[in-house]
Amino acid sequence: MRETFDIQGMTCAACSVRVQRAASDVPGVTEANVNLLKNSMELDFDGADATAAAVVAAIEDAGYGALRRNAAGRGGASASAPAPGELARKAADERLRQLVVSLAFSVPLFYVAMGPMFGWPEVPGLDGMDNMMASALTQLLLCVPILLVNRHYFVTGFKTLWHRAPNMDSLIALGSAASFAYSVVSLYRMAWAFGAMDMAAAHEAMHGLYLDSAGMILALIDLGKYFEARAKGKTTDAIAALMDLAPKTATVVRDDVEVSVPIEDVRAGERVIVRAGESVPVDGVVLEGTASIDESAITGEAVPVEKGAGDRVTAATVSGRGWIAVEATAVGEDTTLAGIIRLVDEATSSKAPIERMADKIAGVFVPVVMAIAAVAFVAWMAISGDFATALNHAISILVISCPCALGLATPTAIMVGTGRGAANGVLIKSAEALETACSVDYVVLDKTGTVTAGKPRVTDVELAAGVTEADLVRVACALERKSEHPLAEAVCAYADETHPGADAGARVEGFEQVAGGGLAGAVDGRRVLAGNLRLMEKSGVDLGGLAQRADALAAEAKTPLFFAADGRAIGLVAVADPVKPTSAEAISRLRVLGAKTLLLTGDARLTAEAVARKVGVDEVMAGVLPSQKELRVRELQRAGHRVAMVGDGINDAPALARADVGIAIGAGTDVAIGSADVVLIRSDPADVALAMELSRATMRNIRQNLFWALFYNSICIPVAAGVLVPWGITLNPMIGAAAMGFSSVFVVGNALRLRTWKPSERRQHEATPAAAPAVTVTETEAEAEAGAEAAKATEGRTTMEKKLNVEGMMCQHCVAHVKGALEGVDGVTEAVVDLETGTAVAKCAGDVADEALVAAVKQAGYEASIA
């Protein structure tokens, strides 16, 4: 049985490892998978309440909190479960409050303590030797609120130390506590010196105050933690956005009356009504009516699909026009959308957080430093016999090895790096994504809306002799304005952009839609036809050279629309989903960075191959479903690749979540953006390379910071321990604190250098077939299996060909539907469909009944007869 537990108190990778280990050690637990970003744990166990209670107790004993969710089923959550992102948002708000309080007290604390060293005007009443005690007490009063508001560092840090599992909180707590404790001792020394009227001793003790260090450590850590918590909150909304896609109500026919009911009350087998503008609430089969369904949310297809009786529809798709009655075949958790939600949830839960290098070091660093301090104390007691000397060396070690440099090495660089990304149009939602992107070696790209614009538009206009473009546009726009087809919308959009008002005053009479052909009507008294080759041939229109030009455009995955007036061809307009201007450049830049590219799309192979040739990708895989996209990403990961997935649709969400780095196009759906780790605000695929370059620059900076922090500690700790005392070189806590402060300044200053980072200069690359590398076309698993079965079935058998006349096809999508329907008939090895002639040739292994072929085409929504 699998259940979800909410975990409280985790702050770093060491925490998640500790929680996972504690839960896994409980008898009855099969597997525990802790997700740091979601602050949750997926637990596979025997389902017993006693086991779950034991897990909660084990986690609490480890120093953290655990809350059991009453899961409603695999991938589900009960009503009592917190809303996705709620805990993360609360954590970010709490971090902000801590940061505000810390800064409010640490700024004046730093001014009072360090102002005299910088020559700043001193505060009256706190200046000079006579007021040193007042200054010291003021510093104490300013420091205490900072410690109180950040007490969780001390509670968690010392608790994990008690459990022998120190984390970053332990380092922060030790550093700040050591500085504060030594400052309190120095404060007492000052008071005793004043009591003895020994001003020299009081002045010496004054130099032992490091209250500003104790406070500033916490304030700077709060700053980094706040930005980290805020980024966390943005990564937890994907599942909530997916759930919001499904309509909340549905119109159901009960007792011959249409009633609106909550979506959870709809039962399989019921009759559901969907009108224009409404979302389909269930998976089902159309019983009657027709509608234009936008399936881009599920399939990624930019062009809506015409649906009629017998066609299947999917929940969360949208009806653009028409009316349909649907028999519900899958509702609730059984719908395609629910399956996608489960895929996203499982992918985000199974992806382990990246181990931060500083956390790994911290697990060894803290006990080693404490051991060194203890050894130094004992050694100096044995050597000098002076408790003050021994304590001085021990505290010097703790102060000089203060982990602020180690703790700031990563968050400061991450903070500046994410800021530079935002300034360049790349929103990086987590430090983990920024760290991982530097090692990506395989970039998977969705086609529609990512490499292409995602919206059909006019790409070519060809004119017949003696016809001007203005004449063609006026006639075409006037007639197409009456149609709701996406291709018609593209023609009208082109007319409005290039010839505004072209159809103003045009009279359209006798408008009709010709099934499988196009449109017909009278424009200003002229009989006008708009449609495919079959319509023109049936109407006796001589196309001349336009027919050859149409063939060339079709080879480029463009849909040609012919226009004729009074029986004479006046031109053609080609419509396609164009490639973005920067797509070829994006592929070229990724290749320079050493990353291979794969175009992964649910679109037809012909279109995918044409796009692949234009942009120069290394590999193309067409006709894939959402689950297959996620599977392909998983296969690449199993092959040892570090994968980035770039997409913009709901169908990309599972793959985005599964990838090592999910990159969403900013103009895409909220779900894709919520599932991704990186969002390209400008919707520019070239920014994928920018994100990788920024990641590499940031990680280089982090490594420099960590090297400095470790190098500094490896040098200063032995000196603080007194190994150079025989040569007259020693360190007291004051010098140690100064060195620690310099180390922090160095780390922050080095991170700030990232503010000057700029992406590599963009170059325009011409992606011609000759210049682009050879494209590898990969079959989907379904295609491969179908091919293998077909080959097996045809062994030793005679191949027969049967030709059918097909009516109702209007575009390449129709061709794909007919081809799929015929190839789905038992015994058909291949189907060749020709849109222009309206025919289909079925290659059969053996005898296949004519009725079976005709029935398959009709089931797909078209009319057919044996030729």
Side-chain angles (χ1 to χ4, degrees):
M1 179 178 179
R2 168 170 289 193
E3 283 197 21
T4 303
F5 289 69
D6 293 311
I7 308 300
Q8 300 170 344
M10 293 193 301
T11 59
C12 66
C15 298
S16 61
V17 171
R18 177 64 179 171
V19 171
Q20 186 165 312
R21 186 179 302 142
S24 299
D25 289 342
V26 174
V29 173
T30 305
E31 182 183 8
N33 191 358
V34 178
N35 189 301
L36 179 62
L37 286 178
K38 295 167 67 177
N39 289 315
S40 65
M41 176 181 68
E42 296 294 330
L43 190 75
D44 286 326
F45 68 115
D46 56 17
D49 291 338
T51 303
V55 169
V56 172
I59 294 174
E60 291 176 348
D61 288 342
Y64 304 91
L67 179 64
R68 182 185 182 187
R69 289 187 197 171
N70 295 319
R74 188 174 182 269
S78 69
S80 62
E86 181 181 346
L87 295 177
R89 285 190 290 271
K90 288 182 178 179
D93 292 341
E94 180 62 26
R95 293 289 188 188
L96 179 59
R97 286 191 291 269
Q98 293 169 3
L99 176 61
V100 170
V101 174
S102 295
L103 290 178
F105 287 94
S106 62
V107 171
L109 172 61
F110 184 80
Y111 187 94
V112 171
M114 302 300 294
M117 294 182 62
F118 292 102
W120 297 340
E122 295 190 53
V123 179
L126 304 179
D127 55 337
M129 296 293 294
D130 293 341
N131 294 320
M132 69 174 73
M133 193 66 192
S135 176
L137 290 173
T138 301
Q139 293 179 46
L140 178 66
L141 291 176
L142 289 171
C143 183
V144 168
I146 302 175
L147 300 181
L148 290 176
V149 77
N150 290 286
R151 61 188 177 276
H152 63 92
Y153 289 124
F154 301 95
V155 173
T156 303
F158 289 120
K159 183 184 293 184
T160 53
L161 274 177
W162 177 257
H163 290 285
R164 298 182 300 280
N167 60 1
M168 286 298 289
D169 283 352
S170 304
L171 296 175
I172 296 168
L174 279 175
S176 183
S179 297
F180 183 78
Y182 191 81
S183 298
V184 171
V185 171
S186 297
L187 190 60
Y188 273 96
R189 288 175 57 202
M190 285 180 63
W192 294 330
F194 272 115
M197 301 301 293
D198 187 349
M199 298 301 292
H203 184 261
E204 180 183 353
M206 178 73 173
H207 288 293
L209 291 178
Y210 309 117
L211 294 167
D212 57 318
S213 296
M216 289 303 295
I217 290 171
L218 297 174
L220 290 172
I221 293 297
D222 279 344
L223 185 62
K225 290 290 186 180
Y226 165 65
F227 282 101
E228 182 181 351
R230 193 174 67 169
K232 262 190 192 180
K234 295 178 181 178
T235 65
T236 55
D237 294 333
I239 297 175
L242 279 169
M243 292 176 176
D244 288 341
L245 285 172
K248 302 299 183 291
T249 60
T251 302
V252 181
V253 177
R254 292 178 178 173
D255 298 326
D256 296 327
V257 178
E258 293 185 10
V259 293
S260 180
V261 300
I263 191 66
E264 54 269 20
D265 291 343
V266 180
R267 297 183 296 272
E270 286 196 299
R271 184 184 180 94
V272 179
I273 305 300
V274 181
R275 294 181 173 84
E278 295 181 347
S279 294
V280 179
V282 296
D283 289 357
V285 178
V286 177
L287 296 175
E288 61 176 305
T290 59
S292 177
I293 303 295
D294 180 1
E295 296 183 331
S296 59
I298 301 297
T299 66
E301 293 286 350
V303 179
V305 180
E306 296 295 323
K307 297 288 186 178
D311 291 333
R312 292 189 172 276
V313 291
T314 306
T317 56
V318 180
S319 174
R321 63 177 178 82
W323 176 96
I324 53 176
V326 178
E327 179 184 354
T329 58
V331 297
E333 294 297 317
D334 297 325
T335 63
T336 301
L337 177 63
I340 293 177
I341 293 174
R342 283 194 295 272
L343 279 174
V344 174
D345 191 25
E346 290 171 4
T348 55
S349 297
S350 63
K351 184 173 19 176
I354 296 172
E355 292 285 343
R356 290 186 176 89
M357 193 179 301
D359 290 325
K360 293 180 179 179
I361 298 170
V364 178
F365 181 77
V366 175
V368 168
V369 168
M370 294 179 64
I372 292 174
V375 169
F377 179 82
V378 173
W380 280 104
M381 281 295 293
I383 294 171
S384 66
D386 181 37
F387 180 85
T389 300
L391 184 61
N392 187 72
H393 281 291
I395 294 179
S396 294
I397 292 171
L398 292 175
V399 171
I400 206 168
S401 63
C402 177
C404 58
L406 189 61
L408 290 171
T410 297
T412 51
I414 292 292
M415 189 189 313
V416 179
T418 51
R420 290 304 300 157
N424 286 276
V426 177
L427 177 61
I428 300 169
K429 297 165 60 177
S430 69
E432 286 78 8
L434 193 59
E435 292 182 28
T436 307
C438 71
S439 57
V440 166
D441 64 350
Y442 223 109
V443 178
V444 179
L445 302 109
D446 174 51
K447 181 185 74 67
T448 306
T450 301
V451 176
T452 65
K455 185 176 182 180
R457 67 181 180 87
V458 173
T459 59
D460 301 87
V461 176
E462 300 289 338
L463 304 173
V467 179
T468 66
E469 182 171 319
D471 292 337
L472 174 62
V473 169
R474 176 179 174 82
V475 171
C477 183
L479 191 61
E480 298 284 3
R481 192 81 74 180
K482 298 292 185 179
S483 173
E484 297 177 346
H485 196 279
L487 299 182
E489 294 177 2
V491 172
C492 293
Y494 175 80
D496 293 339
E497 180 181 349
T498 59
H499 298 77
D503 60 333
R507 301 188 314 277
V508 180
E509 299 172 337
F511 173 81
E512 63 175 320
Q513 293 185 338
V514 181
L519 307 174
V523 179
D524 292 333
R526 304 168 66 190
R527 181 64 179 172
V528 176
L529 297 175
N532 55 26
L533 177 62
R534 185 167 60 257
L535 176 64
M536 298 297 144
E537 290 179 342
K538 286 184 177 180
S539 302
V541 177
D542 182 13
L543 297 174
L546 291 177
Q548 293 182 345
R549 181 56 183 153
D551 291 338
L553 292 170
E556 298 175 8
K558 299 176 181 178
T559 302
L561 300 175
F562 295 98
F563 291 88
D566 292 333
R568 173 176 173 268
I570 60 175
L572 72 81
V573 175
V575 180
D577 183 10
V579 172
K580 290 181 179 179
T582 57
S583 291
E585 175 197 349
I587 303 303
S588 178
R589 291 177 67 188
L590 289 172
R591 188 172 293 113
V592 171
L593 291 173
K596 294 188 67 176
T597 52
L598 165 64
L599 187 66
L600 196 62
T601 176
D603 212 338
R605 176 173 292 185
L606 177 65
T607 304
E609 290 177 358
V611 172
R613 287 193 297 269
K614 288 182 180 179
V615 301
V617 295
D618 298 302
E619 186 181 353
V620 60
M621 189 174 183
V624 295
L625 299 174
S627 59
Q628 291 175 315
K629 289 187 178 184
E630 188 266 348
L631 178 61
R632 181 56 178 160
V633 170
R634 192 186 310 181
E635 289 173 348
L636 289 172
Q637 290 173 326
R638 287 174 179 171
H641 295 290
R642 189 61 66 89
V643 183
M645 171 68 195
V646 188
D648 73 322
I650 297 172
N651 61 310
D652 301 319
L656 287 168
R658 172 64 65 184
D660 296 286
V661 180
I663 303 177
I665 295 297
T669 64
D670 291 339
V671 176
I673 294 173
S675 300
D677 305 299
V678 178
V679 178
L680 307 183
I681 300 173
R682 296 181 296 209
S683 299
D684 187 348
D687 285 342
V688 176
L690 185 151
M692 291 176 60
E693 292 173 356
L694 176 61
S695 171
R696 294 181 181 185
T698 304
M699 286 305 299
R700 184 165 55 248
N701 189 281
I702 290 173
R703 293 188 187 101
Q704 292 168 352
N705 287 347
L706 290 174
F707 170 79
W708 165 255
L710 293 173
F711 174 78
Y712 152 81
N713 280 293
S714 65
I715 296 297
C716 292
I717 289 176
V719 174
V723 297
L724 298 181
V725 168
W727 292 273
I729 300 176
T730 186
L731 287 176
N732 59 36
M734 180 186 65
I735 299 175
M740 176 272 295
F742 171 75
S743 178
S744 299
V745 170
F746 180 89
V747 167
V748 175
N750 187 52
L752 290 176
R753 288 192 309 109
L754 281 172
R755 297 176 65 183
T756 63
W757 176 86
K758 294 181 180 179
S760 62
E761 182 180 355
R762 292 190 171 195
R763 297 177 296 277
Q764 294 299 326
H765 301 275
E766 301 230 352
T768 63
V775 177
T776 300
V777 180
T778 303
E779 288 185 317
T780 64
E781 184 179 348
E783 290 173 330
E785 289 180 359
E789 290 297 326
K792 183 178 179 180
T794 56
E795 289 181 2
R797 299 173 67 179
T798 302
T799 300
M800 300 176 58
E801 293 187 357
K802 294 193 176 185
K803 188 175 181 180
L804 296 88
N805 292 322
V806 182
E807 297 182 5
M809 296 189 297
M810 298 183 64
C811 61
Q812 290 296 331
H813 297 289
C814 299
V815 170
H817 289 159
V818 173
K819 178 179 174 67
L822 288 172
E823 291 180 347
V825 176
D826 219 10
V828 176
T829 59
E830 184 183 1
V832 179
V833 184
D834 190 322
L835 175 64
E836 301 305 331
T837 61
T839 60
V841 176
K843 298 181 180 180
C844 311
D847 189 18
V848 178
D850 295 346
E851 293 79 5
L853 299 175
V854 173
V857 175
K858 289 185 176 181
Q859 184 70 20
Y862 306 89
E863 294 297 323
S865 60
I866 298 296

